[in-house]
Amino acid sequence: MTDVSVALCTHNGARFIGEQIRSICLQSRPPAEIVLSDDASTDDGVAVAQAAWQASRIERPGLDIRLEVLRNATALGVTRNFQQAVSACRSPLIALSDQDDVWDADRLEAMSRVFSARDDLLLLHSDARLIDEAGRDLDRSLFGALGLRASEISCIHEGRAFDVLLRRNLATGATIVFRRELLQRASPFPAEWLHDEWLAVIASITGGVDVLERATIGYRQHAANQVGAPQGSVLRLVRKLWTARGDSHDRRAARARVLCDRLAAEPSPAIAPLQRKANERLSHELARAALPEGRLARLRPVLGELVRGRYARFGYGVRGAVRDLLEPV
C-alpha cells in the first residue's frame, strides 16, 4: 500500500496529545511520518508528543516513523497552520489529525485500501464516534450530529459531492485522508475557508471525493474545541432564529466568491456546469446579504429566493428562509 504522512496541528494540546500520538503510531498500518506543526503553544505539548512517539517505538520494536516538528513563534491560525503541515508532508497520501482525538487502530489501513482500489479518488472522509473529555463513548456519531441524510451519502458515492458541499460541508478534517497531488490544485488555502472545507470542495470539482460510512476515529468533544460537532436541539434552533446575523451573510458571500474565482481559473469545459452552480450560490448569498432591516420588507426577496429553490439547493430550505425573515440584523 501507498505510504501515508500524518499532518498533525497543535496548540496548547498537552492534555490529550500523548494519547493521540500513541493511537497514530500503533496503527495496524503505521504512517511513514508525522509532521507536527505547533501554533505558538505556551504549554509542553510538543515535548509530550515527542515522549509519546519515543514510548511507542519502545512498545513496538522496529517501528519506523519519522517525526518532524515545526514551531510557529507567532500563531498562524487553524487554516494556515494546516497548510504549513500538509505542505511539509512527503508521502503520496496525507491524513489530517487534530491534537485531541483518538484513532481507531485500523484507520489508515482501511482508508488506504480504498485509495488503492480507486485511482480517481482524491479525498476520502469518514464518520466518527463522539467521545467526551475522558474518552468515554457518547453514543452519538458525527454523521448523526450533522444530520447527514442517506440522499447526501448517495450523492457523494455517485461522484456528485460538489452539489452536497455547495450546500454545506460534511468532510470533517479530523477524518480526512487525501492524495498529495490535491495540494497543487488547492494551494494556497484561502483565508475565507477552513482547510478541510476547501480541500473537499476542490477535490469534488473532478468528482474525486468519497465517504467511508464507518467511524475511523474517536472525535473528542470538550470546551476547548476550536471546531466541534454541532449539538442539535429544538431549543438551539429557536435561539438561532433570534440571533443577530451580524456579518454572517457577508462572510458566506465572500466564500462563494472565492470559489467562483477559483472555478473561473479552471481551463476544462467540463467545469462549466459547476461554475454555473457556484455562481448561482453566490447570487443567493448576495441576495441574503442585501436583505433589508425591516422584517416585512424582507418578505418579497426571501420568497423570491424560496421560489427559485435556492434555499433548498444551498441551505436548509424553508428553515433557512424563516430564519432570514425573523433574525435581528
Side-chain angles (χ1 to χ4, degrees), residues 170-248:
L170 295 172
T172 300
T175 74
I176 284 176
V177 176
F178 66 94
R179 293 193 195 274
R180 193 177 189 282
E181 65 195 67
L182 177 59
L183 290 180
Q184 298 172 7
R185 304 186 70 185
S187 297
F189 299 172
E192 293 84 355
W193 289 70
L194 286 174
H195 61 286
D196 51 2
E197 297 174 329
W198 184 247
L199 284 166
V201 77
I202 295 301
S204 74
I205 291 173
T206 60
V209 173
D210 210 343
V211 58
L212 200 60
E213 295 178 58
R214 54 155 281 192
T216 61
I217 69 168
Y219 191 44
R220 199 183 304 266
Q221 303 297 290
H222 56 86
N225 277 102
Q226 287 191 293
V227 181
Q231 301 294 317
S233 71
V234 174
L235 181 60
R236 176 176 176 270
L237 294 176
V238 171
R239 285 174 176 167
K240 286 183 72 173
L241 287 176
W242 300 103
T243 300
R245 72 171 181 245
D247 66 347
S248 60

